[in-house]
Amino acid sequence: MIYERNLEENLFNLQAELKNQNYCHGKYQPFIVYDPKKRQIHKTTVKDRIVHQAVVNIIEPIFEKRFIFNSFSCRIGKGIHGASYRLRDFLSKASQNNTKTIYALKCDVSKFFDSIDHNILLDFICCQIKDEKTIKLLRHIIGSFSKAPNKGLPLGNLTSQLFANIYLK
């Protein structure tokens, strides 16, 4: 990796950009995955992924305590296995240990990431984050991608996963 060749210098430069508030988000590189349905993922630069990780490290704990217990998507200690175990417990209880027929609905929000409104997301974030420099950086990251004017988050970003959970809270 080119970034890693001069890692220490690059990290110090990135720190200075963030401190001086002149960090500029790079471009996204789209690619397709099938998992099992076709999805377009948008990969960003190593530099941007470092910023995204730092942002998540700082703001995720603020929002994590506000998420409902039964929200499992992209959360530490939760995930698909935790969700399936929790569902199994609910189904067992509701069916009175498999003595009653019950039904569960599996659904998905169509084009969810594409439909996230940047202004609404920022309003949710601003309710919890008061630091203007942090808000400016978050506004820049959110605004670095759109599918329509002021709408959409890129699939594949760590920040997008957190922002989606904040949006759905």
Side-chain angles (χ1 to χ4, degrees):
M1 291 267 177
I2 295 170
Y3 196 86
E4 292 172 341
R5 287 186 192 151
N6 297 311
L7 184 60
E8 186 174 6
E9 180 182 349
N10 288 332
L11 290 175
F12 279 120
N13 289 339
L14 177 56
Q15 179 186 33
E17 288 177 32
L18 290 167
K19 187 176 181 180
N20 297 328
Q21 299 183 56
N22 59 6
Y23 161 74
C24 186
H25 200 284
K27 295 184 181 201
Y28 292 91
Q29 180 181 20
F31 63 96
I32 303 293
V33 297
Y34 297 88
D35 69 347
K37 68 182 182 179
K38 180 180 177 182
R39 295 183 189 270
Q40 186 174 39
I41 307 297
H42 290 84
K43 179 181 171 184
T44 193
T45 65
V46 171
K47 175 181 169 181
D48 295 326
R49 289 194 303 263
I50 291 168
V51 172
H52 294 183
Q53 182 67 62
V55 164
V56 168
N57 288 351
I58 298 300
I59 71 167
E60 185 176 45
I62 295 167
F63 291 97
E64 178 65 31
K65 59 189 169 197
R66 288 169 171 71
F67 296 147
I68 64 169
F69 180 80
N70 289 318
S71 173
F72 286 85
S73 179
C74 303
R75 292 179 64 200
I76 295 170
K78 300 272 185 165
I80 191 72
H81 291 102
S84 63
Y85 297 141
R86 186 78 168 151
L87 175 62
R88 185 187 62 200
D89 292 344
F90 280 135
L91 294 175
S92 177
K93 189 179 284 185
S95 68
Q96 297 175 350
N97 291 323
N98 297 317
T99 61
K100 288 176 55 179
T101 301
I102 58 162
Y103 299 92
L105 172 66
K106 178 184 175 191
C107 60
D108 188 17
V109 179
S110 179
K111 306 280 187 200
F112 173 64
F113 280 82
D114 291 348
S115 69
I116 292 176
D117 184 290
H118 293 182
N119 294 321
I120 293 172
L121 174 61
L122 284 163
D123 285 346
F124 290 154
I125 290 171
C126 288
C127 287
Q128 301 303 319
I129 307 289
K130 302 301 181 194
D131 182 77
E132 286 301 319
K133 290 179 182 178
T134 304
I135 294 297
K136 181 180 176 183
L137 177 60
L138 294 172
R139 188 179 311 278
H140 181 67
I141 292 170
I142 292 166
S144 70
F145 179 90
S146 63
K147 283 285 196 168
N150 288 316
K151 285 197 177 188
L153 295 177
L155 281 175
N157 277 4
L158 184 61
T159 51
S160 294
Q161 296 169 355
L162 175 59
F163 294 155
N165 282 338
I166 292 169
Y167 200 80
L168 286 174
K169 69 165 178 63

